[in-house]
């Protein structure tokens, strides 16, 4: 069966809790103690785990599937036929497996790559179980030694060796980190020199008219979440988390602060979401 590694990282987490004592952060529109956000976000994703695809369809009118497909094709990753070493991927906050499996499928279809490895990392075991179910259904990545599911905090990744990964991806997950900059710093640590950081996340709409229309749509999402998934609060948080996430230029600066070079981004759908990237040199 797929490897599901639960690694609490007690020593690292204790240090993090100590450093964050008396600090606050945002949980949607609410201000909460920093050490509580992880559990609160965990509760949200445990609630929506079994409805993950439905959640994304509701929030994006199904367009998230096109964004993810573009994300995978633009990255264009895979072991080239003349290469000796396979690639080592890590997909963070990727418990459902949709991006990870899409990347592996693309690498095989375009480059004939059936060697590269994939670590699928998520802090939430319920999300990882959904990825396991997806693997069992498609059978291709079930009981496959190339694929590991790992329960880990993306801000720490203490079980991932430094300078060990060629490609780090995170899709619609980094905005839920308690400390986004810490997550970016960790991404830099685990990548090899020459490795690429590649992120897909909701962003800021650049056209004022489109932004106004989107804000009106966003107000309806918690109600729709209540109707289709019987979960108003989780959808309310997810909308608020989008509003709180930095704009394209601000997030670009954070990626540069982590040490990445050749940093850039591409806005999609007028800036509803954006692809960000950077290279470790």
């Amino acid at each position: 069966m797929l490897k599901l590694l639960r690694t609490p990282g007690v020593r690292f987490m204790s240090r993090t809790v100590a450093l964050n004592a008396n600090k606050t952060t945002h949980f949607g529109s609410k201000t909460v103690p920093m050490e509580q956000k992880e559990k609160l976000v965990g509760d949200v994703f445990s609630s929506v785990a079994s409805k993950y695809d439905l959640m994304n369809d509701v929030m994006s009118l199904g367009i998230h599937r096109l964004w993810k497909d573009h994300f995978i094709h633009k990255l264009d990753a895979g072991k080239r036929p003349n290469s000796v070493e396979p690639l080592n991927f890590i997909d963070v906050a990727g418990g459902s497996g949709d991006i990870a499996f899409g990347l592996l499928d693309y690498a095989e279809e375009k480059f004939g790559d059936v060697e590269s490895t994939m670590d699928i990392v998520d802090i939430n075991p319920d999300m990882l179980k959904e990825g396991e179910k997806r693997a069992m259904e498609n059978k291709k990545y079930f009981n496959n030694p190339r694929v590991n599911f790992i329960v880990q905090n993306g801000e720490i990744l203490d079980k991932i060796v430094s300078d060990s990964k060629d490609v780090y991806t995170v899709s619609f997950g980094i905005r839920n980190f308690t400390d986004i900059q810490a997550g970016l710093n960790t991404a830099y640590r685990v990548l090899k020199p020459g490795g690429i950081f590649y992120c897909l996340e909701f962003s800021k709409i650049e056209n004022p008219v489109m932004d106004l229309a989107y804000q009106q749509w966003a107000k309806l999402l918690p109600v729709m979440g209540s109707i289709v998934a019987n979960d108003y609060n989780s959808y309310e948080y997810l909308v608020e988390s989008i509003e709180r996430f930095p704009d394209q230029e601000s997030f670009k600066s954070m990626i540069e602060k982590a040490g990445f070079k050749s940093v850039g981004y591409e806005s999609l759908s007028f800036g509803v979401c954006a692809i960000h990237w950077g290279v470790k040199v």
Side-chain angles (χ1 to χ4, degrees):
M1 62 183 294
L2 291 172
K3 299 176 184 177
L4 181 58
L5 307 179
R6 288 176 170 80
T7 52
V10 174
R11 177 166 55 88
F12 290 88
M13 290 303 295
S14 296
R15 185 185 307 161
T16 301
V17 170
L19 290 172
N20 290 338
N22 301 319
K23 292 184 179 180
T24 60
T25 187
H26 61 82
F27 175 72
S29 62
K30 304 178 181 68
T31 299
V32 298
M34 188 169 283
E35 67 272 15
Q36 290 184 13
K37 182 172 179 179
E38 182 180 311
K39 180 183 183 304
L40 293 169
V41 172
D43 291 343
V44 167
F45 281 91
S46 290
S47 175
V48 303
S50 64
K51 309 178 188 73
Y52 179 75
D53 287 332
L54 175 62
M55 175 192 75
N56 285 331
D57 284 333
V58 169
M59 295 189 71
S60 72
L61 294 176
I63 301 173
H64 74 99
R65 299 175 188 271
L66 299 177
W67 293 334
K68 290 175 179 177
D69 188 62
H70 179 66
F71 178 75
I72 290 169
H73 280 74
K74 184 179 178 70
L75 179 57
D76 195 35
K79 176 182 178 291
R80 271 46 175 180
N82 59 347
S83 297
V84 177
E85 295 292 330
L87 296 178
N88 295 310
F89 290 87
I90 180 169
D91 186 43
V92 176
S96 69
D98 56 345
I99 290 292
F101 298 153
L103 287 166
L104 292 176
D105 285 344
Y106 179 89
E108 180 179 357
E109 291 165 7
K110 183 166 183 180
F111 304 111
D113 178 9
V114 292
E115 299 178 56
S116 292
T117 65
M118 176 66 72
D119 284 347
I120 304 173
V121 175
D122 203 295
I123 198 170
N124 190 303
D126 293 317
M127 287 297 297
L128 286 170
K129 288 175 184 176
E130 292 304 309
E132 286 189 300
K133 290 178 185 177
R134 191 184 297 253
M136 292 173 68
E137 289 168 359
N138 67 30
K139 298 181 174 61
K140 189 173 184 179
Y141 300 111
F142 178 67
N143 198 28
N144 190 322
R146 296 167 57 204
V147 178
N148 291 321
F149 279 74
I150 308 173
V151 179
Q152 275 271 264
N153 184 330
E155 298 169 34
I156 301 170
L157 298 181
D158 54 297
K159 293 299 180 180
I160 306 297
V161 177
S162 299
D163 304 314
S164 65
K165 300 299 179 183
D166 297 287
V167 180
Y168 175 115
T169 56
V170 56
S171 174
F172 300 121
I174 202 165
R175 75 180 188 278
N176 298 303
F177 285 19
T178 300
D179 188 336
I180 293 172
Q181 189 64 59
L184 293 170
N185 297 344
T186 296
Y188 187 87
R189 176 183 67 78
V190 302
L191 281 167
K192 300 176 183 177
I196 185 168
F197 166 83
Y198 203 61
C199 172
L200 176 65
E201 187 54 87
F202 286 109
S203 196
K204 296 295 183 285
I205 297 176
E206 297 145 330
N207 181 291
V209 176
M210 289 293 298
D211 184 49
L212 179 61
Y214 178 79
Q215 295 303 324
Q216 296 306 308
W217 164 249
K219 291 178 182 178
L220 298 175
L221 290 175
V223 178
M224 295 180 66
S226 179
I227 294 170
V228 303
N230 194 31
D231 193 341
Y232 182 95
N233 292 337
S234 293
Y235 282 78
E236 182 181 44
Y237 160 73
L238 291 167
V239 170
E240 291 171 347
S241 71
I242 294 169
E243 294 173 353
R244 289 277 188 167
F245 192 70
D247 62 35
Q248 289 89 325
E249 284 293 327
S250 298
F251 190 49
K252 177 185 176 183
S253 296
M254 294 175 71
I255 297 170
E256 291 171 333
K257 183 178 179 181
F260 289 101
K261 305 299 181 184
S262 301
V263 177
Y265 63 85
E266 177 189 4
S267 294
L268 305 178
S269 300
F270 303 99
V272 174
C273 71
I275 298 172
H276 286 263
W277 60 83
V279 178
K280 178 176 178 176
V281 297

